[in-house]
Amino acid sequence: MENQKKDSTRLQFLHRLLTILIPLTAIFFVLDVPYYVAKITFFNQQFISIFWSLVLSLLFITVPARKDLPKNNPQWYDYILVALTLMVGLYSTIFYPQILMGLGKIKTIEWVFGIIATILVFESVRRTAGLAVVSIVSVFLIYAKFGHLLGGILEISYIKPTRLFQQLYLGADFLLGIPLKVVVEIVFAFVLFGIVYLRVGGGETLMDLAYALMGTVRGGPAKVAVIASSLFGTISGSAVANVTAVGMITIPLMKKTGYPSYFAGAVEAAAGTGGQIMPPVMGAAAFVMAEFLGVHYYQVVLAALIPAILYYIALFIQVDLQAVKRGIKGLPKSQVPSLKKVLKEGWMHIVPIIILIYTLFYLFWEPGQSAVISTLAAVIISLFNKKTRSIWNKEMIFDMLLSSSKSMFEVVAVSGGAGLIVGLVAYTGLGLSFSHMLTLLAGHNLLLLAIITAVASIILGMGMPTTAAYVMLAILAAPAMVHLGVEKMTAHLFVFYFGTLSMLTPPVCLAVFAAATIAEENSMKVAWQSMKLAVAAYIVPFVFLFNQGVTLFGPLTGIIFDTLTTLIAIILISFAFEGYFLKKLSMVERALFVVTTLLLLTNVISYEVSGIILLLILVSWHVVSYLKNRTMETKIA
């Protein structure tokens, strides 16, 4: 009994120590504290290595090896994994400057530690993301080992196993490369900001704001879900987190006001997934994109802004049309907070978001630094409010740190695996070979290549976290599009969008699963409806390949024209998908709306003019028909 108490005390101490060290390490890295305090400079890889080892250590004592085992109850082998993780992590942290000087030499300790580090990556990925991601990383590792036996374009030079594992462990483009660098330098700071912001009442203010704006209009709860998810997307960037946080409130309300349960779940799944493409915070993958492209994050945000707005416009229109068809009204005023009251009581929660946007897009601070300052602002402002000031105590602070550390489990594990993939693709030259294969398969036709890439992106993204899916697509598929003349930013946004859409596309669609559970509905029924609602996200990426004004590239006149034609096309396709515009549409009428949409999006002047003419005819005919029917109904009445 006494030994059990001692074990429990030791476990609790280790748990608390790791929980405190993880955020401290990340903040030290983001703010470069050692340099400003003691003029000491560390390599990025040293911070990455210690952060990775601390997170994996906490993961191994928290997440069980099997589902039938309880959480926070580590087995004897978990402690061995913790010891190996800290040993491997501390070695590269302490000795990295010397390691870097002699990286050309193969040292026994380094390739042995490389094997251990690879096993730790695989086990951490298995526990958090599942065997599917492990299998994908394994394919790249097997290719690196046996690719020299292949013939043709896929053949590579022989790589010594000792050299391979040394590189996997210590190479700057492998485990300690861009994906983990982004996690330590940026993602953790935003996760911490999101957790603190929500704990001090920011989430309630965003939800109340959505209700104040849309609660009383027709189809109010569904529109609240759309607005609230887009607002949550500004601080979250996680599809499943958005669906869970907002859907727990909006899905039951949608069902109560008359929406079918499958539609209610689909609205939240589509709206929540949109959070991953909604600036200013678009999830870890967007930060990785900025690193890959070598640009500031604000440039990614600017390029993604109009497509994200178009996505939510299409979703909003379809929700509204459903409300019209089903006669669904808004909530009574008595159940909806007034906008004036929301702003009066919650204005302080808007300040941290304003600071975040100001420092990111006006002062051009590094994203991680902006997130840390915004977190500090949320804490300080909460101290001036009697209601939020009372929440602060030791346990609350520790709980926030623990939540932020646990939130890192999957993203750190998967980013470690993604780092191995990035390194292996570059090391073997697979990226160039695969890109060449895609180009040949498409016959140098950009549209065909885009379709192949879109399908591949959705398939490869199924069941995978968006970051891992994007990394794989960015190094395998995007280069082929760049080779055919597409802007780098546009090509990466294209694969990013379709990797994100795997959250909605059957059979493995994580955002849909979360929404279907809350809606108590069949997940496939929710999935198909979600795809209809998210139609803009399937169309817009093809649009900005050929109409780059949508991503704010080119002259102002081109940007305005491309944006307006795409907006009109998105509205028309929404009418076609819902089968309603002023009145119910026949199949022929829906087909004509689809044809008009395609003509407007061709980027060929003659076709676009034809589309505008057809649009004017269709709209005029429907308006006249609608007014004529209304007149007849009035006379009969």
Side-chain angles (χ1 to χ4, degrees):
M1 190 73 175
E2 191 175 332
N3 286 335
Q4 286 182 342
K5 283 184 179 181
K6 284 183 179 179
D7 289 343
S8 177
T9 303
R10 287 169 184 163
L11 175 61
Q12 191 176 28
F13 173 77
L14 178 61
H15 196 271
R16 284 185 171 269
L17 180 64
L18 291 170
T19 300
I20 293 169
L21 287 176
I22 289 168
L24 281 179
T25 302
I27 292 171
F28 269 47
F29 182 39
V30 170
L31 301 180
D32 202 6
V33 173
Y35 177 78
Y36 288 107
V37 172
K39 299 296 180 184
I40 299 173
T41 302
F42 288 98
F43 286 96
N44 288 342
Q45 287 76 13
Q46 290 175 282
F47 279 113
I48 295 169
S49 183
I50 191 62
F51 185 85
W52 172 79
S53 63
L54 291 172
V55 172
L56 257 61
S57 296
L58 185 60
L59 186 159
F60 288 137
I61 63 173
T62 304
V63 181
R66 301 196 315 268
K67 290 183 178 180
D68 59 333
L69 292 173
K71 291 184 178 181
N72 299 306
N73 185 28
Q75 307 299 306
W76 60 269
Y77 48 80
D78 292 316
Y79 287 111
I80 293 176
L81 290 174
V82 170
L84 290 173
T85 302
L86 292 173
M87 184 168 60
V88 168
L90 287 172
Y91 176 81
S92 53
T93 301
I94 295 169
F95 298 109
Y96 196 79
Q98 296 92 312
I99 291 169
L100 197 60
M101 296 298 292
L103 201 56
K105 290 183 178 180
I106 299 176
K107 298 178 183 177
T108 302
I109 188 173
E110 291 176 5
W111 67 259
V112 170
F113 274 7
I115 293 173
I116 295 171
T118 305
I119 292 170
L120 293 171
V121 168
F122 275 55
E123 177 59 12
S124 63
V125 171
R126 186 190 70 81
R127 292 194 187 193
T128 56
L131 287 173
V133 184
V134 173
S135 302
I136 290 170
V137 181
S138 300
V139 167
F140 287 93
L141 186 59
I142 292 169
Y143 175 74
K145 179 66 182 73
F146 298 105
H148 65 282
L149 300 177
L150 300 175
I153 195 172
L154 291 177
E155 185 179 358
I156 61 173
S157 301
Y158 173 74
I159 304 172
K160 291 180 67 175
T162 51
R163 169 70 66 190
L164 177 62
F165 283 107
Q166 183 191 45
Q167 286 296 321
L168 289 173
Y169 171 41
L170 297 171
D173 296 324
F174 289 81
L175 175 61
L176 305 179
I178 286 177
L180 271 179
K181 177 179 181 288
V182 169
V183 170
V184 187
E185 192 176 50
I186 301 171
V187 176
F188 181 85
F190 277 92
V191 167
L192 183 62
F193 169 64
I195 288 171
V196 172
Y197 184 79
L198 294 176
R199 292 292 178 89
V200 299
E204 294 173 18
T205 297
L206 294 181
M207 186 64 76
D208 287 344
L209 185 60
Y211 271 106
L213 292 171
M214 291 292 159
T216 57
V217 301
R218 66 188 180 200
K223 292 174 181 176
V224 167
V226 175
I227 298 294
S229 292
S230 65
L231 291 174
F232 266 78
T234 64
I235 61 168
S236 170
S238 167
V240 176
N242 282 0
V243 169
T244 305
V246 180
M248 292 296 289
I249 300 171
T250 58
I251 289 176
L253 264 177
M254 280 188 268
K255 291 169 66 175
K256 189 177 180 180
T257 52
Y259 285 106
S261 56
Y262 75 89
F263 189 84
V267 169
E268 191 49 59
T273 299
Q276 290 193 120
I277 61 173
M278 186 67 188
V281 182
M282 299 161 58
F287 296 115
V288 175
M289 188 191 304
E291 287 288 330
F292 274 165
L293 295 172
V295 299
H296 194 281
Y297 176 65
Y298 84 89
Q299 292 175 263
V300 175
V301 167
L302 288 178
L305 182 60
I306 291 176
I309 292 172
L310 291 172
Y311 176 88
Y312 276 106
I313 287 174
L315 181 55
F316 195 87
I317 289 170
Q318 290 188 71
V319 164
D320 183 64
L321 293 174
Q322 277 285 332
V324 174
K325 288 194 295 184
R326 298 177 183 276
I328 298 172
K329 297 180 180 179
L331 297 170
K333 279 190 175 182
S334 58
Q335 295 182 23
V336 177
S338 70
L339 181 60
K340 185 177 179 181
K341 184 180 178 182
V342 172
L343 294 175
K344 183 179 178 180
E345 295 181 356
W347 65 268
M348 64 178 184
H349 295 128
I350 300 173
V351 173
I353 294 180
I354 293 173
I355 291 173
L356 177 66
I357 294 171
Y358 179 75
T359 54
L360 262 179
F361 306 120
Y362 186 77
L363 299 181
F364 302 117
W365 285 14
E366 291 300 319
Q369 294 174 353
S370 296
V372 170
I373 294 302
S374 301
T375 305
L376 184 61
V379 172
I380 292 171
I381 289 172
S382 71
L383 297 176
F384 289 93
N385 184 288
K386 188 176 180 180
K387 182 181 176 182
T388 53
R389 184 168 59 241
S390 61
I391 70 170
W392 292 104
N393 55 58
K394 287 182 181 179
E395 286 307 312
M396 174 59 76
I397 294 171
F398 180 78
D399 186 55
M400 287 184 181
L401 295 177
L402 180 60
S403 296
S404 59
S405 297
K406 284 185 174 180
S407 297
M408 289 289 99
F409 285 171
E410 182 174 316
V411 70
V412 167
V414 169
S415 294
L420 297 187
I421 291 174
V422 172
L424 289 168
V425 168
Y427 203 53
T428 59
L430 178 62
L432 292 173
S433 301
F434 193 83
S435 175
H436 185 56
M437 285 175 59
L438 280 179
T439 306
L440 291 176
L441 184 63
H444 291 79
N445 183 297
L446 180 57
L447 179 59
L448 182 57
L449 175 62
I451 293 170
I452 293 170
T453 303
V455 173
S457 299
I458 291 173
I459 293 172
L460 292 173
M462 286 181 181
M464 288 185 69
T466 306
T467 304
Y470 165 71
V471 166
M472 191 162 52
L473 295 164
I475 57 179
L476 294 178
M481 305 182 85
V482 174
H483 180 69
L484 291 185
V486 177
E487 287 278 347
K488 274 190 175 183
M489 177 75 76
T490 306
H492 281 252
L493 273 178
F494 185 90
V495 298
F496 170 66
Y497 264 63
F498 280 103
T500 299
L501 286 173
S502 64
M503 289 284 174
L504 295 178
T505 310
V508 183
C509 34
L510 302 182
V512 167
F513 293 159
T517 301
I518 299 170
E520 299 178 327
E521 181 59 87
N522 178 272
S523 59
M524 288 303 105
K525 199 171 181 181
V526 175
W528 292 118
Q529 182 62 51
S530 298
M531 290 175 67
K532 282 179 63 178
L533 293 172
V535 61
Y538 291 91
I539 294 175
V540 170
F542 286 96
V543 173
F544 61 60
L545 278 184
F546 301 95
N547 302 272
Q548 296 193 12
V550 177
T551 51
L552 301 180
F553 283 104
L556 181 61
T557 52
I559 291 171
I560 293 172
F561 181 78
D562 288 346
T563 301
L564 285 176
T565 53
T566 306
L567 174 61
I568 294 169
I570 290 300
I571 293 171
L572 294 179
I573 201 70
S574 298
F575 291 159
F577 268 62
E578 288 302 323
Y580 196 92
F581 169 56
L582 299 178
K583 63 184 184 67
K584 189 175 180 180
L585 300 177
S586 67
M587 290 304 295
V588 173
E589 291 169 329
R590 294 171 78 167
L592 286 172
F593 273 113
V594 172
V595 170
T596 306
T597 299
L598 295 175
L599 289 171
L600 289 173
L601 298 178
T602 55
N603 199 28
V604 178
I605 295 296
S606 58
Y607 290 163
E608 288 177 334
V609 171
S610 301
I612 291 170
I613 294 170
L614 184 57
L615 168 66
L616 293 173
I617 294 171
L618 279 172
V619 171
S620 300
W621 186 84
H622 274 276
V623 169
V624 170
S625 177
Y626 173 74
L627 292 175
K628 186 177 179 180
N629 289 337
R630 286 290 299 270
T631 304
M632 290 179 64
E633 289 173 4
T634 303
K635 286 182 179 180
I636 293 171

